[in-house]
Amino acid sequence: MCVSLGNVTPGAVGPASGSQARILLVEDDPEAALFAITVLAKRGPFEVTHVADPAVALRLAAAGGWDLVLTDVEMPGMTGLELLDALRAIAPALPVVVLTSHVHLRAAALLRRADEFLIKPVRIDQLMATVTALIERAAGQQEPATGH
């Protein structure tokens, strides 16, 4: 199932000034996906594209234009940790947040260079703060340095 709240178009990582940041949500649970879409799209300047299949997410991520990936861990065909490994190979600077109810996977996610690990059920304020901070940090790292 693919629910998209925006078009998928290639482009550079990092939102243009005043534009919406693009988030790729990879979640096979429809209720969890609806929660994340509602929170992120309604409360923040985010365009959220949801896919339930990690293989599809990997193809979309490879096309570029994303500011952040938010992924569940347990999904059919490929785990979120395997997706994280593949994302690091094709887009090392792309912020990735791993979201799961399995606390014991925190170390594995962080060792695989997840930018953040959130435990389900995640609080709205925690989700918003984490996503906002990671997108702002990534956008700041891409701005050209000034010689002042």
Side-chain angles (χ1 to χ4, degrees), residues 53-56 58 72-84 86:
D53 183 340
V56 172
L58 190 55
D72 185 23
V73 172
E74 289 188 15
M75 295 178 288
M78 178 188 305
T79 70
L81 297 180
E82 292 167 334
L83 175 61
L84 173 60

Side-chain angles (χ1 to χ4, degrees), residues 29-54:
D29 178 345
E31 289 180 12
L34 182 59
F35 169 79
I37 290 166
T38 302
V39 168
L40 295 169
K42 301 286 185 199
R43 295 183 181 240
F46 307 121
E47 176 185 323
V48 180
T49 299
H50 166 240
V51 295
D53 183 340

Side-chain angles (χ1 to χ4, degrees), residues 53-69:
D53 183 340
V56 172
L58 190 55
R59 287 193 300 273
L60 291 174
W66 303 101
D67 299 297
L68 182 131
V69 173

Side-chain angles (χ1 to χ4, degrees), residues 72-130:
D72 185 23
V73 172
E74 289 188 15
M75 295 178 288
M78 178 188 305
T79 70
L81 297 180
E82 292 167 334
L83 175 61
L84 173 60
D85 290 340
L87 289 170
R88 288 295 174 240
I90 63 168
L94 180 63
V96 179
V97 177
V98 174
L99 180 64
T100 185
S101 58
H102 301 286
V103 179
H104 69 278
L105 295 174
R106 179 180 178 83
L110 296 176
L111 284 172
R112 287 174 139 146
R113 297 182 296 135
D115 291 281
E116 190 60 71
F117 183 89
L118 298 176
I119 305 296
K120 289 180 183 179
V122 65
R123 294 185 334 264
I124 291 171
D125 62 332
Q126 182 184 29
L127 179 61
M128 289 299 297
T130 298

